Amino acid sequence: MHQATFDSRGSHIRWTEVPGAEPARVFLHGLGSMSAVYHAHIAARPELIGRRSLLVDLPGHGTSDRPEDFGYTLRDHADAVAVALDAAGTAGAELIAHSMGGAVAIVLAHRRPDLVSRLVLTEANLDACPPSTAASSNIAAYDEEEFVEKEYARVLAAVGPLWAATMRLADPRALHRSAVGLRRGSDPVMRTLLEALPVGRVFLQGGLSGELPGRESLEAAGVRVVTVPGAGHNVMFDNPGAFAAAVAGTD
């Protein structure tokens, strides 16, 4: 495990690293998750071994620190990941990012283009104000103190054992602020940033999740959209072979 200081109070963002050839692959998790749980089995697949891999936990999540005075906006998360990549010396990395992590990756690629050579996004949030059925909207519907004191436990009980196993490691305040930041989105919004980025871009949509809104516009902007059969939101679990092929660029 490695770490780097991402704020003035000495808080650390942490990542697990597998040595290998450059360019590095950097894995970013979604809201209430952690990267090793969602991506270690992908990084270890035969078609992907041999490349340097960094499994990064966003601030407030997993093994990273959870400062109370941190904003946890998309920009805050992106800047913290940039600190980690600078410390790791991974210019021109490939970012493989899921859900909220995909939104963070887009903002990072916009703010620090030197750090990113390719994006592989899995059901990433592209728009502000996601539907009420989205977990981020459900969490952000409460004010912060109400969520921390009362609703966090209810959410843990409702999300199911797999997600709860990682969400219980997330700081409740960080979880709420991250959800609020995700609901607010970036400025310009993530979809607009993604369409303008001058790097290779792949967007994985689970076939069970329905059609991706705005797919035609994304494809017109050069984003390769792949619908993964038999997969829902967690494509890396539901169809790991197709997921790994998209990461490797062999699908």
Side-chain angles (χ1 to χ4, degrees):
M1 184 182 294
H2 300 264
Q3 64 182 24
T5 303
F6 67 86
D7 68 5
S8 61
R9 295 182 179 270
S11 304
H12 291 97
I13 183 169
R14 296 185 175 91
W15 65 95
T16 302
E17 183 166 336
V18 179
E22 301 287 347
R25 293 189 177 113
V26 177
F27 295 87
L28 298 177
H29 60 81
L31 181 68
S33 303
M34 62 183 297
S35 283
V37 172
Y38 277 71
H39 291 118
H41 68 295
I42 298 296
R45 287 182 65 93
E47 59 267 50
L48 297 179
I49 59 173
R51 287 278 293 278
R52 187 182 182 193
S53 297
L54 285 71
L55 297 106
V56 181
D57 287 342
L58 297 173
H61 293 71
T63 59
S64 290
D65 288 346
R66 48 208 69 205
E68 289 189 9
D69 58 349
F70 193 66
Y72 298 98
T73 65
L74 291 177
R75 179 171 173 173
D76 290 333
H77 281 301
D79 288 350
V81 175
V83 168
L85 300 191
D86 281 335
T90 57
E94 297 183 4
L95 268 58
I96 297 92
H98 178 228
S99 197
M100 183 186 81
V104 172
I106 292 168
V107 174
L108 173 60
H110 171 69
R111 290 177 55 76
R112 288 291 306 276
D114 58 305
L115 294 177
V116 181
S117 63
R118 181 174 180 248
L119 292 173
V120 180
L121 308 173
T122 306
E123 297 222 348
N125 296 77
L126 299 181
D127 303 299
C129 299
S132 58
T133 53
S136 56
S137 291
N138 184 279
I139 292 172
Y142 300 96
D143 67 43
E144 184 172 308
E145 294 306 322
E146 181 182 14
F147 178 78
V148 170
E149 294 175 7
K150 298 180 180 179
E151 296 301 323
Y152 175 61
R154 182 192 62 80
V155 169
L156 276 180
V159 296
L162 179 62
W163 198 5
T166 59
M167 188 180 288
R168 68 186 179 185
L169 302 178
D171 179 75
R173 203 170 298 279
L175 187 66
H176 183 270
R177 291 181 190 174
S178 295
V180 169
L182 185 58
R183 182 169 173 78
R184 182 181 303 121
S186 60
D187 184 17
V189 76
M190 296 81 76
R191 182 183 298 271
T192 299
L193 296 179
L194 178 62
E195 290 179 348
L197 288 173
V199 298
R201 295 151 295 164
V202 180
F203 192 103
L204 302 181
Q205 176 77 355
L208 302 179
S209 297
E211 186 60 33
L212 175 65
R215 176 173 185 152
E216 297 81 4
S217 176
L218 290 173
E219 292 179 328
V223 180
R224 183 166 172 261
V225 180
V226 179
T227 300
V228 181
H233 186 61
N234 296 323
V235 177
M236 71 292 295
F237 294 143
D238 297 337
N239 194 335
F243 186 92
V247 173
T250 59
D251 60 322

